[in-house]
Amino acid sequence: METLVREEIMEGGLEGEASRPIQWSSVFAGALAASAMSFILIGFGVAVGLGVSSASPTWRDASAALALLSGLYLIIQAIISFGFGGYIAGRTARPAPALATIEDDGERRDGLHGLTSWALAVLAGAALLALLGAAALDRSPMRSSASNTSAAEPLLSYELDKLFRAPRRAPNIDLREARAEAGRILMTSSSHSGVSTDDRAYLVQQVAGLTGLAAPDAERRVDALIADSKTAINRARRNSIIVAFSVAAATLIGAAVAWAAAVAGGRHRDGEPLPNWMASSNRFHRNPRVMPVS
């Protein structure tokens, strides 16, 4: 009789549960928890000035230390957020069938829940950023006149303002085409060869014609703005590298943290001791049977 009952359990209940290693309700719960915690921490970081990027032109003048500190904060918030989400995913998942799995399989199953919730949270965040970027691009006033814009306008807008600044100018003068062309020329200042002689002479002519400056004054202004543009582009490139590295590091570290936190959540759910490298967290568990592993 006992053998028959055991076979019926294996064929009916446990094998049916084992055939579904991923419990999507736990995965979604972990992903939502990670996303919510990440939103709170990133919002706090931006509020105190630790955002990894900014639309303000003054962000280009930020020191490398501030950019590195912002990147470090991004990594720390990823550890906290994905750790929280992974723990929720592992703690809320149903235990593995005791007759169908071994201990290592149970840990792998819980870790897989944490890793899946991490992937879902990352994809949801990327989709949200893509939607926000597309909406901002559609609302941009420069979109309707793409031929009169350049990639330099958001980055070198202040330099372009200084380049064509004039004490008096006739009304209803459209500078969009001139700004776009000057921006494309200034973008070459960070190249290996820099701004060519012909481009520099053309900028001097444009500045003299649109601002009324004398040729020597126009030359000095163009030379100063070329140097400023090169500095601004190099700083923006440096910050972009730091941001890209921080995002990649935070995402990859978050995957490992989500896996480990899900394993810890599964162990706490089952009332089992944690591995040696996690044993210090056992003191936070209310189950008296859970003791640090020697």
Side-chain angles (χ1 to χ4, degrees):
M1 177 65 68
E2 181 178 356
T3 303
L4 292 177
V5 171
R6 182 183 180 88
E7 291 179 354
E8 289 178 358
I9 292 176
M10 290 292 295
E11 294 177 358
L14 295 179
E15 287 186 354
E17 293 182 1
S19 62
R20 299 190 300 272
I22 299 296
Q23 299 171 19
W24 289 104
S25 58
S26 299
V27 169
F28 278 105
L32 289 176
S35 299
M37 182 64 70
S38 179
F39 175 79
I40 294 173
L41 294 178
I42 290 179
F44 173 78
V46 172
V48 299
L50 290 178
V52 294
S53 63
S54 173
S56 174
T58 57
W59 172 256
R60 304 172 312 174
D61 300 328
S63 63
L66 178 59
L68 289 173
L69 183 61
S70 300
L72 179 61
Y73 179 80
L74 182 64
I75 295 175
I76 292 175
Q77 71 83 24
I79 292 174
I80 297 174
S81 301
F82 289 120
F84 179 65
Y87 183 87
I88 295 297
R91 188 65 183 262
T92 58
R94 290 191 299 271
L99 299 178
T101 61
I102 59 177
E103 183 177 358
D104 291 341
D105 289 336
E107 291 186 4
R108 189 178 300 110
R109 182 172 179 270
D110 292 331
L112 188 60
H113 279 78
L115 191 62
T116 308
S117 66
W118 161 84
L120 185 60
V122 170
L123 291 177
L128 180 60
L129 288 177
L131 290 176
L132 292 177
L137 184 62
D138 289 336
R139 291 194 301 266
S140 176
M142 297 183 297
R143 184 177 176 85
S144 59
S145 57
S147 61
N148 293 333
T149 61
S150 68
E153 190 64 40
L155 177 62
L156 301 177
S157 57
Y158 179 66
E159 283 74 14
L160 292 173
D161 290 340
K162 291 178 63 177
L163 187 65
F164 294 108
R165 186 176 297 168
R168 288 180 295 179
R169 180 180 290 120
N172 301 325
I173 293 181
D174 190 0
L175 294 177
R176 287 179 297 178
E177 185 174 354
R179 287 173 63 93
E181 189 173 11
R184 288 188 289 268
I185 293 175
L186 291 178
M187 288 293 288
T188 64
S189 61
S190 64
S191 63
H192 179 71
S193 58
V195 178
S196 65
T197 304
D198 294 339
D199 287 339
R200 177 185 175 277
Y202 179 76
L203 276 182
V204 171
Q205 293 176 3
Q206 288 288 93
V207 171
L210 293 173
T211 63
L213 292 176
D217 295 334
E219 288 182 4
R220 284 192 293 269
R221 178 179 290 190
V222 168
D223 290 338
L225 267 298
I226 289 176
D228 292 345
S229 299
K230 183 177 181 179
T231 302
I233 293 172
N234 290 336
R235 286 179 175 175
R237 184 177 296 154
R238 177 203 65 192
N239 291 339
S240 298
I241 292 174
I242 294 176
V243 168
F245 176 81
S246 301
V247 170
T251 305
L252 294 178
I253 293 174
V257 171
W259 178 285
V263 172
R267 289 268 190 155
H268 283 170
R269 176 201 61 214
D270 299 335
E272 297 177 358
L274 300 182
N276 288 328
W277 57 281
M278 293 184 185
S280 60
S281 64
N282 280 326
R283 65 178 181 270
F284 299 110
H285 193 258
R286 66 175 181 274
N287 193 331
R289 293 181 302 164
V290 179
M291 299 295 294
V293 179
S294 59

